[in-house]
Amino acid sequence: MFLKYLARRLLYVIPLLFITTLIVFSFILLIPGDPVLALLGENATPEKVAQLRQQLGLDQPIIMQYFDWLKNALQGDLGRSIFTGQLVEEAVFSRLTVTFQLVVAAMVISVVGGMFFAITSIYYPNSWMDYVARFFGTLGTAIPNFWLAMLLVLFFSLKLGWVPATGFTSINDNPVDFLKGILLPAISLGAMGTAQITRHLRSSLMEVMNADYVRTAYSKGVKRWRAIFNHGLQNAMLPVVTTIGILFGNLLGATVVIETVFAIPGMGQLAVNSILQRDFTMLQGVVLVMIVLVIIINFITDIVYAILDPRIEY
Amino acid sequence: MDRMRLIFIAKLLPLLLLAFTLVGCSSDSSSGKNPSSSVGGAQSEEGTPKKGGEITIAYIADSTNYDPIQSSSGSDHPLLWPIYDTLVSFTPELEPQPGLAESWEFTDDKTLILHLREGVTFHDGTAFDGEAVKFNIERINSDDSKIPDLKNIESVEVIDKKTVKLNLKVSDSSLLLALSDKGGMMVSPTAIKEYGDNFSQNPVGAGPFKLVNHIPNGEIVYEAYEDYWEEGKPFLDKMTVKVMSDENTRINALKSGEVDFADIITPANVQNLKSDSNIVLKDILPVRFNMIFLNPSMPPFDNKNVRLAVLHGINREAIVQGLNFGQGEPANTIFPKEYWAADPNMSIDYDPEKAKQLLKDSGLNNISFSMIHLAIANYTRGAEIIKDQLKEIGIEVNLEPMEVTKGTTSFFSEQTAPAFSTTWTGRQDPQMAVQLLFSANSYLNPGKYSTQEIESLISKAASTYDQKERAELYKEISEKALLEEAIGIPLVYEPMTSAMNQKVKGFKPNLMGKAVFSSIWMEE
């Protein structure tokens, strides 16, 4: 039964990948502004423009270009950057490890922060802690992450000098520097996630805590924190898992801004620079990898769902 | 009641925290002790250069490519110059000086002899000689190249190991400085053969620094080339450039000590940095300036009077004051005052009455036009000021904000609007500037508009090698092209500012406004 469910989810992925890549591919080529002109820059002449357009295959219809690209992509060849000549897969995968570390750090902050606020708020309902938690739940969603990032940099880097304002060290190179460097970007990125998880977990916990079986547990003399952790949380986590799945995609998208603010050489920054330069081969690679990542995460979410609640069938 | 108060405080608390954060931070920037001591000036009194040490630099963008013939952006030079020495070098005032060519002479209008420096090697040990020069120039003029500057060289003859002869198609006074641009960057012929298409990932030149590590759009690490031809140079052992496209990020990195040097600071932030006593600012008014490109083949600019009305209807001084906090100067011609080719006496009068009269003379009513401008804060404000100023003389401007590539494509290729407010980045040699801005066959002149007289003056300047005579010709060309024809509308010169901590010495801004990092040394 579970295997059948798994197989069906897997089959959905194929048309999904096909359609999303086609859309993305066309959109990238439809971005106004000629990549050839961006490439030639100050040296553009009409002859060079025509020659280069042909060299890059940009004189072909978009659908032909798409199938050419798809054919190569399926064989693992994403082409070369039209600017630097660097292999796209090399560039993307070296950036991926950076962005992955950032997103995971932000995820940890979101989940830990979100659970902390939600549980405190349920444990002390209508207390000042509840209001603080609910306030952060609104604030985290309302504050733009780049603005939060600037405030954090102003205060913790420039004023107090505790952590660096820019840059990134990989966890493999130096775990302490990694933590110092990742703190502010991860908080700026994770604020939104913390807020979302707080709100979802709080409301679903509230519902669960009023359920009959929790009342039964109380009547058997179970302590309040035990009721929350042992009885409430497991059942209240279901909507949170969905939120985490969606959050991953959101965070991946938000790296575009945060990586630029903190000068972190990750996928988001690569995406921004590729768009500005009209480096469409690089951009296609970046977007493809992002799409695949999101699809994989959604797939995992679905499976976790089924494991958490065996009653679920699709 | 008590609980209500608690709730209120609880809701207020985060806001208060935020407010404290803001106040705490703003007090920092206003506490600068001696605002004037940190500004410029110190260039000549920096002491004797010390060898050793390293520097970290924040720069606006990565090079579009590390193979000079593939590089396409004007912001690439500072990242390429450390790796590649050029045949001819230039002074901060943009006059040619010996580079890999020790000396040169024009034997006639169309023949240039270069005497090459001896004992120069590329980073891979290959000797730099006449054959290498021939190889490079032919490569620069090949179909793979994006550099158009040397197309005028018909052939290269190697006379002996240290002498080459360049035969030109027509005389070309801009050639020497073209050889200090990307066209003069010498790459190792051995490395080209070895790496082929991968050369841009393994660049090998004869410059003071070797590129040892490169994370595209992230970080570029250079190490001193131990066999560099010039004794005692470079001063630094290592140089790391971090790419930070956002200006605030560059400034934050400098203030918090992650970088020693932050390049390309706009006038708005100069004010803020001046108050920081740990930071040294060096600036220059470069050959680049803000201008409105016009397309005289499209209405209303096919009418000369309208072009001239725009020229005289703009109050440049007001833009300098209002937009750039009084920094910089009005662009009265296409070169800054200190430059040898400039006419310091030339002036474009702000005269609204004259402009209104010109509009009357044009015979047109209800004049309006669309102007593309870059969708970047400073350009948007500039465009709004222009819209406002032109409204006073009776022209309605419709603003079309666009991102750089889109704007460039729309104006120069697709010709969707008759005006484009942007920056002219300038060229090493004034001949390239007048050619690109005012000649009918230039890509930057989409209306293909010029006059017989201007064209013949440009050709005459191309075959004049005496600097004084050239300067006279450029004055004449600027007057005709701007004051009589208004082919383009210069607006203002903005200072190019670099910010650094007090350990950084030896940096000299040049009139190109493009940083040459290799002269830097570090104190301590």
Side-chain angles (χ1 to χ4, degrees):
Chain A
M1 199 57 195
F2 182 66
L3 280 181
K4 203 174 149 197
Y5 168 72
L6 204 72
R8 208 162 45 206
R9 299 305 307 170
L10 261 177
L11 273 180
Y12 282 144
V13 169
I14 296 169
L16 194 62
L17 258 180
F18 182 76
I19 293 168
T20 44
T21 49
L22 179 62
I23 292 174
V24 166
F25 189 94
S26 327
F27 275 13
I28 288 172
L29 287 178
L30 290 174
I31 296 176
D34 189 342
V36 173
L37 274 183
L39 194 55
L40 286 170
E42 56 180 24
N43 307 321
T45 60
E47 303 81 55
K48 273 276 165 213
V49 169
Q51 182 202 340
L52 202 62
R53 183 165 286 129
Q54 199 190 359
Q55 264 175 31
L56 293 172
L58 286 170
D59 49 349
Q60 304 278 324
I62 285 186
I63 195 78
M64 296 279 289
Q65 294 183 47
Y66 172 70
F67 281 111
D68 272 353
W69 174 79
L70 190 66
K71 198 178 77 194
N72 292 329
L74 285 175
Q75 296 163 354
D77 173 13
L78 294 176
R80 279 172 187 270
S81 155
I82 62 167
F83 273 87
T84 60
Q86 206 198 8
L87 285 171
V88 170
E89 55 259 38
E90 240 176 61
V92 170
F93 285 109
S94 73
R95 297 310 190 94
L96 190 59
T97 55
V98 175
T99 297
F100 190 72
Q101 293 177 47
L102 174 61
V103 168
V104 168
M107 207 66 145
V108 169
I109 287 181
S110 306
V111 173
V112 172
M115 285 180 74
F116 173 78
F117 282 128
I119 293 171
T120 344
S121 143
I122 291 297
Y123 197 84
Y124 304 106
N126 293 323
S127 71
W128 65 272
M129 284 173 84
D130 183 16
Y131 286 106
V132 169
R134 281 153 74 174
F135 185 79
F136 273 111
T138 313
L139 202 67
T141 330
I143 288 187
N145 50 19
F146 67 90
W147 189 67
L148 179 63
M150 291 197 293
L151 286 185
L152 291 173
V153 167
L154 270 178
F155 193 65
F156 291 105
S157 302
L158 299 186
K159 181 83 182 157
L160 299 174
W162 290 352
V163 284
T166 58
F168 174 82
T169 317
S170 173
I171 193 164
N172 301 324
D173 298 340
N174 186 336
V176 176
D177 282 356
F178 164 76
L179 283 178
K180 276 188 181 171
I182 207 79
L183 193 67
L184 298 188
I187 292 177
S188 329
L189 204 54
M192 169 183 72
T194 307
Q196 283 178 12
I197 291 182
T198 305
R199 289 158 73 88
H200 282 122
L201 186 58
R202 188 177 168 278
S203 64
S204 81
L205 257 180
M206 200 136 62
E207 206 174 296
V208 170
M209 294 309 283
N210 288 327
D212 291 347
Y213 66 91
V214 175
R215 201 182 47 197
T216 311
Y218 276 141
S219 67
K220 277 167 41 186
V222 170
K223 286 263 177 350
R224 193 168 161 71
W225 65 269
R226 212 187 175 117
I228 293 180
F229 279 90
N230 286 13
H231 299 271
L233 212 51
Q234 193 188 348
N235 288 298
M237 278 311 274
L238 224 51
V240 177
V241 171
T242 322
T243 314
I244 292 176
I246 296 170
L247 196 60
F248 184 86
N250 288 349
L251 291 181
L252 205 58
T255 57
V256 165
V257 175
I258 293 300
E259 287 180 354
T260 305
V261 172
F262 288 98
I264 295 174
M267 296 261 284
Q269 205 198 38
L270 186 64
V272 172
N273 285 317
S274 309
I275 292 171
L276 290 179
Q277 291 187 322
R278 301 297 189 279
D279 190 343
F280 61 90
T281 47
M282 187 64 88
L283 191 56
Q284 281 154 358
V286 173
V287 176
L288 177 73
V289 171
M290 285 199 175
I291 289 177
V292 170
L293 275 180
V294 170
I295 289 179
I296 291 175
I297 293 294
N298 281 345
F299 183 67
I300 294 175
T301 313
D302 283 345
I303 292 171
V304 171
Y305 230 76
I307 293 172
L308 273 183
D309 188 348
R311 288 169 301 181
I312 288 179
E313 267 185 62
Y314 290 90
Chain B
M1 189 64 199
D2 259 343
R3 221 180 76 199
M4 282 303 284
R5 192 183 297 154
L6 266 179
I7 295 168
F8 178 71
I9 292 174
K11 286 188 176 170
L12 212 63
L13 196 68
L15 273 184
L16 285 173
L17 278 176
L18 274 182
F20 282 132
T21 318
L22 285 172
V23 170
C25 297
S26 62
S27 74
D28 192 28
S29 51
S30 61
S31 68
K33 284 111 210 156
N34 27 1
S36 58
S37 70
S38 63
V39 188
Q43 271 135 283
S44 53
E45 288 151 16
E46 295 190 322
T48 14
K50 291 190 180 60
K51 203 153 163 57
E54 52 183 85
I55 191 172
T56 307
I57 292 166
Y59 191 61
I60 191 166
D62 201 350
S63 180
T64 50
N65 201 299
Y66 281 85
D67 182 349
I69 69 164
Q70 298 295 337
S71 149
S72 59
S73 165
S75 64
D76 293 349
H77 295 83
L79 302 178
L80 297 177
W81 277 323
I83 311 174
Y84 302 107
D85 261 12
T86 46
L87 283 171
V88 176
S89 186
F90 62 89
T91 62
E93 294 76 34
L94 297 190
E95 300 198 27
Q97 67 171 11
L100 289 176
E102 237 169 0
S103 62
W104 51 79
E105 74 240 5
F106 280 96
T107 49
D108 62 61
D109 264 13
K110 294 183 191 167
T111 316
L112 175 65
I113 308 257
L114 297 173
H115 301 286
L116 309 176
R117 206 174 281 283
E118 272 181 298
V120 176
T121 53
F122 291 102
H123 301 156
D124 59 358
T126 309
F128 167 76
D129 56 15
E131 286 300 334
V133 174
K134 182 178 163 72
F135 175 89
N136 267 285
I137 291 180
E138 284 171 357
R139 183 168 180 266
I140 287 155
N141 279 339
S142 69
D143 276 351
D144 294 334
S145 163
K146 300 198 178 92
I147 309 293
D149 296 347
L150 304 186
K151 289 279 184 244
N152 206 2
I153 299 177
E154 191 159 42
S155 64
V156 184
E157 286 172 48
V158 180
I159 296 175
D160 58 44
K161 263 192 171 334
K162 55 168 292 190
T163 319
V164 288
K165 187 165 136 192
L166 310 183
N167 299 312
L168 309 184
K169 289 175 195 159
V170 288
S171 45
D172 183 359
S173 57
S174 71
L175 184 64
L176 276 180
L177 280 171
L179 292 174
S180 75
D181 204 322
K182 287 170 194 162
M185 293 183 180
M186 295 290 111
V187 307
S188 160
T190 325
I192 295 288
K193 279 165 203 147
E194 190 182 334
Y195 295 115
D197 280 352
N198 287 321
F199 177 79
S200 60
Q201 273 96 64
N202 305 276
V204 180
F209 287 93
K210 294 181 290 190
L211 186 131
V212 290
N213 192 23
H214 177 216
I215 303 169
N217 276 313
E219 197 173 275
I220 307 107
V221 183
Y222 302 90
E223 260 173 32
Y225 174 43
E226 59 278 13
D227 291 328
Y228 187 59
W229 59 266
E230 196 174 353
E231 203 52 51
K233 282 196 174 173
F235 302 121
L236 297 169
D237 296 334
K238 191 179 166 195
M239 198 163 82
T240 305
V241 177
K242 294 191 171 184
V243 179
M244 302 184 185
S245 55
D246 181 58
E247 186 180 346
N248 282 318
T249 307
R250 292 197 294 280
I251 292 174
N252 289 343
L254 177 68
K255 281 184 167 176
S256 63
E258 281 129 52
V259 303
D260 305 296
F261 186 108
D263 205 25
I264 310 186
I265 308 294
T266 53
N269 279 314
V270 166
Q271 295 298 320
N272 158 19
L273 284 172
K274 267 185 184 170
S275 61
D276 192 326
S277 57
N278 296 317
I279 287 172
V280 179
L281 298 169
K282 288 187 180 178
D283 63 15
I284 192 162
L285 277 190
V287 289
R288 58 183 282 158
F289 55 89
N290 294 351
M291 72 173 281
I292 307 175
F293 283 88
L294 300 182
N295 187 334
S297 68
M298 292 171 79
F301 297 127
D302 49 357
N303 188 317
K304 186 162 93 179
N305 284 323
V306 179
R307 298 199 301 270
L308 286 169
V310 172
L311 187 78
H312 293 290
I314 290 174
N315 183 349
R316 292 168 178 75
E317 189 56 43
I319 300 178
V320 172
Q321 296 302 331
L323 188 67
N324 293 338
F325 306 92
Q327 299 168 54
E329 60 183 45
N332 282 311
T333 176
I334 57 168
F335 303 115
K337 272 184 196 152
E338 296 76 31
Y339 189 44
W340 65 265
D343 176 1
N345 301 319
M346 185 168 156
S347 162
I348 301 172
D349 301 325
Y350 167 56
D351 189 342
E353 291 315 310
K354 185 176 173 184
K356 282 179 194 161
Q357 187 57 48
L358 281 161
L359 288 182
K360 249 185 220 157
D361 297 345
S362 74
L364 300 171
N365 295 316
N366 299 327
I367 300 171
S368 72
F369 66 89
S370 298
M371 181 167 82
I372 299 171
H373 68 87
L374 302 184
I376 299 172
N378 221 37
Y379 288 93
T380 306
R381 286 194 288 271
E384 281 159 359
I385 295 176
I386 290 162
K387 180 185 167 89
D388 206 49
Q389 290 183 351
L390 292 183
K391 197 173 188 164
E392 306 245 314
I393 61 165
I395 300 180
E396 184 65 37
V397 184
N398 307 311
L399 298 182
E400 294 186 11
M402 287 182 193
E403 163 279 344
V404 183
T405 308
K406 166 72 177 151
T408 314
T409 312
S410 300
F411 181 78
F412 293 112
S413 281
E414 293 162 3
Q415 306 192 14
T416 59
F420 182 23
S421 166
T422 180
T423 296
W424 154 251
T425 54
R427 288 293 189 281
Q428 258 99 326
D429 193 278
Q431 182 64 26
M432 302 176 189
V434 293
Q435 164 76 33
L436 283 164
L437 290 172
F438 302 137
S439 171
N441 64 19
S442 159
Y443 184 74
L444 298 182
N445 185 352
K448 305 290 164 223
Y449 180 83
S450 193
T451 64
Q452 202 59 49
E453 198 183 7
I454 294 173
E455 293 284 12
S456 66
L457 281 169
I458 292 176
S459 316
K460 192 172 166 199
S463 55
T464 307
Y465 290 92
D466 180 79
Q467 203 177 77
K468 268 201 180 133
E469 286 173 43
R470 289 180 74 193
E472 283 306 316
L473 285 165
Y474 297 131
K475 282 177 197 173
E476 210 178 327
I477 293 170
S478 309
E479 268 169 37
K480 298 241 181 296
L482 295 176
L483 299 180
E484 289 177 20
E485 292 293 334
I487 296 178
I489 314 288
L491 296 171
V492 294
Y493 285 94
E494 277 178 13
M496 295 288 284
T497 307
S498 309
M500 60 213 83
N501 66 32
Q502 291 180 327
K503 285 193 287 181
V504 181
K505 307 286 173 186
F507 176 73
K508 286 194 199 77
N510 58 57
L511 275 173
M512 278 308 290
K514 296 177 182 176
V516 177
F517 297 132
S518 50
S519 68
I520 292 177
W521 53 278
M522 298 293 280
E523 205 171 59
E524 282 168 6

